[in-house]
Amino acid sequence: MKIASFKAGQTATYGLVTTAGIVDAGKRLKQWPTLKTLLANGSLDALKALQGERPDYALAEIELLPTVPDPDKIFCIGVNYATHLAESGHPTPPHPMIFTRFANSQVGGGQPMIRPLESERFDYEGEMAVIIGKAGRRISREAALAHVAGYACYNDGSIRDWQRHTSQFAPGKNFVGTGGFGPWMVTTDEIPDISKQTIATRLNGVEVQAAPISDLVFDVPALIAYCSTFTELVPGDVIVTGTAGGVGAYRTPPLWMKDGDVVEVEVSGIGVLRNPVKDEVAAAATRAA
């Protein structure tokens, strides 16, 4: 199943994405008004019964939200592809390099990623995100994938100068509206082995990143095992697994995203996360209009 969170008018909800449109699950499953509450109750199967329903909206009629708009935790993994390790000059780390994002740093598919007033060094990072569906602590590698609800595309948009103010990445990763998450989640029954998929990033139609998911230094089971050791993973948590080589910061000259650009992240078997890029001033003017 493809499951998206979205707004219809002023109402935030979620539903099944089909070739004909989107079925509003929040309207039908009122006891679980959000995707996070559905996952927390272990009720993904309730969506299967809606697969024959007539769609409520065409995709063009709704505004996509981040796949999980209200996650309890968002863990991002740094330098987790061999090609990105090589271009950054980092040695292979003995443990996953982890930083966190906040929910308000994310936007949904089709929504503008915002280049803030404070910097012009706005970089793309195409990634694959893991959405947790079952809670657990100290999850073994062998049991890890049973805790996954599905996968989505992610763009870990980075304000590079702020990221490098210190050894802690968080300031450069948490400007409001700088990360893309979506356009939807694809459940694990459709992708039984995520390592067989590929990822690519395009800026204005030009491919700037490409890699097989199997190139991850720490794969999905390893990341779940590690993160669940120091904290409990709960339904709706997100693990953003890292980006491949080709980021703008390591190009000569550097390639920064700017107002008017369009950036796409595609993961095979999932879809394409497409976001325009807007300067903060331009974005504010659009909202005011």
Side-chain angles (χ1 to χ4, degrees):
M1 295 181 290
K2 291 179 180 177
I3 308 167
S5 295
F6 65 96
K7 283 179 71 174
Q10 297 302 308
T11 303
T13 182
Y14 68 102
L16 287 174
V17 179
T18 72
T19 55
I22 190 161
V23 177
D24 190 341
K27 180 173 71 174
R28 291 167 171 80
L29 305 174
K30 297 185 186 300
Q31 67 273 45
W32 306 306
T34 66
L35 177 55
K36 180 180 171 181
T37 56
L38 180 89
L39 294 175
N41 282 276
S43 299
L44 264 181
D45 282 350
L47 291 180
K48 293 181 180 178
L50 303 181
Q51 288 181 310
E53 296 277 333
R54 183 175 179 177
D56 298 282
Y57 309 102
L59 282 173
E61 296 177 313
I62 56 97
E63 174 185 333
L64 288 166
L65 297 173
T67 300
V68 183
D70 55 345
D72 187 63
K73 296 178 284 296
I74 306 164
F75 295 118
C76 298
I77 314 300
V79 288
N80 198 31
Y81 279 82
T83 50
H84 190 39
L85 278 169
E87 70 180 359
S88 66
H90 285 90
T92 301
H95 306 290
M97 182 187 294
I98 295 178
F99 55 92
T100 56
R101 287 193 78 118
F102 308 135
N104 72 344
S105 73
Q106 305 178 129
V107 299
Q111 304 309 307
M113 290 173 60
I114 305 302
R115 185 173 73 166
L117 297 171
E118 289 77 9
S119 178
E120 293 184 352
R121 298 182 181 182
F122 190 20
D123 208 347
Y124 52 84
E125 289 195 23
E127 310 202 17
M128 184 270 295
V130 178
I131 296 97
I132 298 298
K134 177 183 174 185
R137 180 81 195 281
R138 299 186 177 92
I139 301 166
S140 70
R141 176 183 175 86
E142 294 71 25
L145 293 180
H147 290 259
V148 177
Y151 305 98
C153 303
Y154 205 97
N155 192 331
D156 185 28
S158 303
I159 310 304
R160 292 298 190 195
D161 43 351
W162 280 73
Q163 177 185 340
R164 292 169 178 164
H165 281 176
T166 72
S167 61
Q168 302 299 314
F169 289 178
K173 301 287 189 170
N174 280 290
F175 277 81
V176 173
T178 51
F181 182 19
W184 42 65
M185 175 183 86
V186 175
T187 51
T188 56
D189 58 318
E190 293 196 18
I191 309 179
D193 187 352
I194 192 63
S195 70
K196 295 186 182 301
Q197 306 306 310
T198 59
I199 187 166
T201 306
R202 294 179 291 272
L203 185 62
N204 299 323
V206 177
E207 186 174 272
V208 289
Q209 293 180 290
I213 301 294
S214 58
D215 274 3
L216 286 171
V217 176
F218 298 99
D219 63 9
V220 172
L223 295 175
I224 290 173
Y226 186 82
C227 291
S228 69
T229 301
F230 66 82
T231 190
E232 181 185 23
L233 294 178
V234 299
D237 282 355
V238 181
I239 300 175
V240 188
T241 54
T243 199
V247 298
Y250 294 114
R251 292 174 176 265
T252 305
L255 179 61
W256 307 122
M257 295 190 294
K258 62 186 185 302
D259 187 77
D261 285 348
V262 175
V263 59
E264 298 173 310
V265 177
E266 180 171 6
V267 179
S268 61
I270 296 175
V272 179
L273 169 65
R274 182 180 294 107
N275 297 95
V277 177
K278 290 190 177 294
D279 285 346
E280 188 171 6
V281 172
T286 299
R287 288 195 297 271

